[in-house]
């Protein structure tokens, strides 16, 4: 053992570590054993516990996976302390300002930025998968008109596996690629149809001459009665919002997709599981909750009242759009979105911007408050996104749908990376059992 540094954990196993391994001394059994420490390309090292149970009958305990690396991945790197987000090594700032969403989608899927020919071919492939089976429209009729669009997304995306049997054999690389393209291409169409259904307007078909973001806006806001004029600033903002939501390491919904995929479930079912998980207000549902919260606050004078409530341990209220499991610094995506807010609202000629002004004042006050500073709670991706989306014309109920639309490329890329890993095994966590030990059965007459 070289350069041992002994960390005394009291009456628990004492862990000593050096550059390649840690030594566990189980103070109960007096057993002492080494575990290797795995080094990443960049970032935190991991203790390899894969044989801990089979060789030492010990489990690790980490209910919310705060200290658990669930997989190897080359797709996204987050440095939470420094607020850094890389996709295949490129900063989110560079990608958001210099790339398009389909370019980033290619990067996430293939691992390198496409040259012009690769991008044209990929764009053409995606464009020609944007239509959905004509039967699919009848699924929408089964929902109430006031159904939340996320409930429709879960149902319709899961149903895609009923239409595309020719791309559900995950052992076939060709089928995996076709399923990936279908999901990325059809999400905007399915999302726009969910919106149209909720407002009782006819579905609008994709137009192959439009870009990915423009096509989505056209399917969402065009009506057969007149030509829809696309605003280039809005198209660019939409594309950038998609980039900023594309992937984010092993977040809850991505981990859901991976766990579902580890059983061999087809990609459409896995993505439907990811959509379901994303819907939670602690995750992707926060963008809708932020705007609802800002509207409830209503006036800068009421901000202290809500800050107080957010700090009150007896209240379940949290400042939506604030805090993050990994970022203990400003979420770099929030910074880009805050910038975009000003750009889009001004470009749309929206002078009266009460929600943005309220959000900025709320951020200013919170970031001066010891409670938020001490806990390193900063605005996250959801804090400003909704302000742009509602300015573009989306109802709050569509905000998480847009998050799911964009995150589909990340989910698909992570799913593909996992399925193509030769060491793939079904994910099956254990537990710490806190229930009754075995006990004799009691017949009902004696209970
Ligand atoms: C996304 O994982 C990802 O990468 C997700 C995501 C992605 O791209 O996939 O980035 C997208 O989901 C962003 C997060 C969106 N959610 C919200 O904005 C909801 C509000 N935020 C919180 O619920 C919370 O911050 C979480 C869920 C985001 C993170 O929760 P953690 O890591 O479990 O943090 P925690 O609950 O342990 O909080 C630590 C402390 C606690 O106080 P103490 O017990 O130490 O006294 O900070 C407090 C919490 O009460 N706290 C908050 C708070 N967030 C944390 N207090 C008030 N308001 C908040 N928003």
């Amino acid at each position: 053992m070289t350069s041992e540094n002994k960390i005394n954990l009291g009456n628990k196993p004492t862990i000593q570590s050096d550059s390649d391994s840690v030594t566990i001394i189980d103070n109960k059994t007096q057993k002492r054993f080494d575990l290797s420490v795995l080094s990443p390309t960049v970032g935190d090292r991991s203790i390899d516990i894969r044989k801990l149970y089979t060789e030492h009958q010990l489990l690790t305990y980490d209910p919310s996976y705060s200290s658990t690396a669930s997989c190897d991945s080359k797709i996204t790197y987050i440095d939470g302390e420094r607020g850094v987000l890389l996709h295949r090594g490129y900063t989110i700032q560079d990608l958001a300002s210099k790339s398009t969403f389909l370019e980033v989608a290619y990067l996430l899927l293939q691992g390198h930025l496409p040259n012009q020919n690769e991008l044209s071919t990929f764009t053409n492939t995606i464009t020609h998968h944007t239509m959905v089976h004509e039967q699919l429209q009848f699924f929408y009729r089964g929902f109430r008109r006031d159904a939340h669009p996320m409930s429709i997304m879960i149902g319709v995306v899961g149903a895609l596996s009923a239409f595309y049997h020719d791309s559900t054999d995950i052992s076939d690389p060709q089928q995996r690629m076709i399923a990936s393209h279908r999901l990325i291409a059809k999400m905007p169409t399915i999302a726009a149809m969910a919106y149209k259904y909720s407002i009782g307007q006819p579905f609008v078909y994709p137009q192959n001459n439009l870009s990915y973001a423009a096509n989505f806006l056209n399917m969402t806001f065009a009506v057969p009665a007149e030509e829809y004029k696309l605003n280039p600033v809005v198209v660019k903002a939409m594309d950038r919002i998609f980039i900023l939501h594309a992937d984010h390491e092993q977040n809850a919904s991505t981990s859901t997709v991976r766990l579902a995929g580890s059983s061999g479930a087809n990609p459409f079912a896995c993505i439907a599981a990811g959509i379901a998980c994303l819907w939670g207000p602690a995750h992707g549902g926060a963008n809708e909750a932020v705007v609802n919260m800002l509207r409830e606050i209503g006036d800068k004078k009421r901000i202290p009242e809500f800050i107080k409530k957010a700090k009150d341990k007896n209240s379940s209220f949290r400042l939506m759009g604030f805090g993050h499991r990994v970022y203990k610094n400003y979420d770099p995506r929030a910074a880009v979105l805050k910038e975009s807010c000003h750009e889009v609202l001004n470009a749309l000629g929206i002078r009266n911007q009460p929600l943005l002004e309220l959000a900025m004042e709320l951020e200013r006050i919170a970031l001066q408050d010891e409670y938020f500073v001490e806990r390193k709670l900063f605005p996250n991706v959801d804090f400003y996104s909704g302000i742009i989306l509602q300015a573009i014309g989306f109802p709050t109920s569509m905000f998480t749908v847009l998050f799911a639309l964009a995150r589909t490329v990340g989910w698909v890329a992570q799913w593909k990376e996992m399925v193509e890993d030769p060491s793939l095994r079904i994910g099956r966590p254990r537990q710490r059992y806190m229930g009754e030990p075995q006990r004799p059965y009691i017949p009902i007459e004696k209970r």
Side-chain angles (χ1 to χ4, degrees):
M1 290 283 286
T2 53
S3 64
E4 286 185 357
N5 42 23
K6 200 173 178 143
I7 311 158
N8 184 347
L9 297 174
N11 64 347
K12 299 194 180 74
T14 303
I15 300 180
Q16 294 164 328
S17 71
D18 68 9
S19 59
D20 305 315
S21 66
V22 291
T23 300
I24 305 269
I25 301 169
D26 185 339
N27 294 331
K28 191 166 182 179
T29 62
Q30 289 312 309
K31 267 178 76 178
R32 174 193 177 108
F33 54 91
D34 288 351
L35 291 174
S36 54
V37 173
L38 305 174
S39 291
T41 319
V42 190
D44 302 311
R45 298 182 301 146
S46 320
I47 299 174
D48 186 352
I49 58 166
R50 281 175 288 184
K51 293 200 171 55
L52 184 63
Y53 184 69
T54 48
E55 292 180 1
H56 306 291
Q57 289 72 50
L58 274 171
L59 297 172
T60 58
Y61 186 70
D62 186 17
S64 66
Y65 309 120
S66 299
S67 305
T68 295
S70 62
C71 62
D72 284 344
S73 180
K74 299 177 180 173
I75 299 172
T76 291
Y77 173 69
I78 302 172
D79 179 331
E81 290 305 323
R82 294 171 48 232
V84 170
L85 170 57
L86 306 178
H87 290 315
R88 302 283 189 180
Y90 298 99
T91 66
I92 190 63
Q93 291 88 345
D94 274 347
L95 294 172
S97 58
K98 298 169 186 163
S99 271
T100 63
F101 177 68
L102 281 189
E103 210 173 351
V104 172
Y106 184 98
L107 172 68
L108 293 175
L109 282 171
Q110 303 296 345
H112 66 271
L113 283 168
N115 60 35
Q116 191 52 60
N117 184 39
E118 288 166 332
L119 183 58
S120 309
T121 307
F122 181 67
T123 302
N124 186 57
T125 303
I126 296 298
T127 300
H128 289 87
H129 276 295
T130 47
M131 283 181 72
V132 293
H133 192 292
E134 196 63 2
Q135 284 286 108
L136 206 72
Q137 63 178 298
F138 301 119
F139 272 86
Y140 290 77
R141 295 185 189 168
F143 291 96
R144 289 169 40 143
R145 290 281 179 177
D146 62 355
H148 193 291
M150 280 298 278
S151 59
I152 297 177
M153 293 301 288
I154 296 168
V156 173
V157 172
L160 289 177
S161 33
F163 288 83
Y164 298 113
H165 282 295
D166 62 341
S167 62
T168 52
D169 174 0
I170 63 164
S171 63
D172 177 348
Q174 192 55 21
Q175 292 196 35
R176 288 200 299 267
M177 193 44 86
I178 293 172
S180 306
H181 291 157
R182 279 174 164 156
L183 279 158
I184 294 165
K186 296 180 195 305
M187 281 301 273
T189 312
I190 291 168
M193 289 171 76
Y195 173 64
K196 285 302 197 189
Y197 184 75
S198 72
I199 58 173
Q201 284 188 356
F203 298 138
V204 174
Y205 285 101
Q207 296 296 318
N208 288 353
N209 62 322
L210 296 176
S211 71
Y212 191 85
N215 203 12
F216 170 64
L217 289 167
N218 189 62
M219 291 188 286
T220 305
F221 295 117
V223 289
E226 60 189 26
E227 192 201 349
Y228 175 64
K229 287 210 178 352
L230 285 158
N231 179 329
V233 174
V234 172
V235 172
K236 177 80 196 120
M238 191 80 263
D239 194 77
R240 182 179 295 171
I241 286 170
F242 289 159
I243 292 173
L244 294 166
H245 288 79
D247 189 57
H248 211 239
E249 201 217 63
Q250 305 312 317
N251 58 84
S253 52
T254 298
S255 300
T256 300
V257 170
R258 278 182 173 261
L259 194 55
S262 74
S263 75
N266 74 68
F268 305 103
C270 295
I271 300 305
I275 296 171
C277 177
L278 184 76
W279 195 2
H283 191 12
N287 53 16
E288 176 178 357
V290 167
V291 170
N292 292 338
M293 174 186 75
L294 292 172
R295 286 178 176 149
E296 190 188 348
I297 294 173
D299 187 301
K300 289 180 185 177
K301 288 196 289 298
R302 294 196 64 200
I303 290 177
E305 171 195 335
F306 282 80
I307 293 272
K308 186 163 176 276
K309 213 163 62 164
K311 293 159 57 174
D312 176 2
K313 287 304 157 205
N314 299 319
S315 158
S316 60
F317 174 76
R318 288 198 162 182
L319 217 48
M320 300 317 279
F322 254 75
H324 198 277
R325 172 62 56 77
V326 179
Y327 287 123
K328 300 310 169 191
N329 203 320
Y330 211 102
D331 183 334
R333 301 167 297 174
V336 176
L337 283 162
K338 185 177 177 180
E339 200 48 48
S340 289
C341 272
H342 293 290
E343 218 174 275
V344 174
L345 294 174
N346 293 337
L348 290 175
I350 301 173
R351 296 285 163 251
N352 176 24
Q353 307 170 3
L355 282 186
L356 177 57
E357 283 156 22
L358 203 52
M360 289 171 64
E361 180 64 3
L362 178 57
E363 173 190 340
R364 188 188 65 79
I365 295 173
L367 295 189
Q368 288 174 347
D369 186 299
E370 191 46 36
Y371 173 94
F372 293 90
V373 173
E374 200 179 273
R375 292 167 178 79
K376 299 183 179 177
L377 303 175
F378 291 88
N380 60 48
V381 67
D382 294 306
F383 192 62
Y384 286 104
S385 56
I387 293 168
I388 304 177
L389 297 175
Q390 58 91 31
I392 292 174
F394 293 103
T396 49
S397 60
M398 280 294 288
F399 290 4
T400 311
V401 171
L402 300 182
F403 196 147
L405 188 168
R407 185 52 59 88
T408 293
V409 70
W411 287 332
V412 162
Q414 299 267 354
W415 167 80
K416 201 167 152 292
E417 181 180 62
M418 176 193 70
V419 168
E420 290 169 359
D421 179 345
S423 66
L424 169 63
R425 298 171 69 211
I426 188 168
R428 204 288 188 199
R430 299 298 308 278
Q431 63 175 14
R432 180 165 74 117
Y433 178 67
M434 300 300 284
E436 293 290 337
Q438 185 173 340
R439 51 183 170 167
Y441 185 80
I442 305 167
I444 191 161
E445 60 275 9
K446 293 192 175 155
R447 289 177 204 162

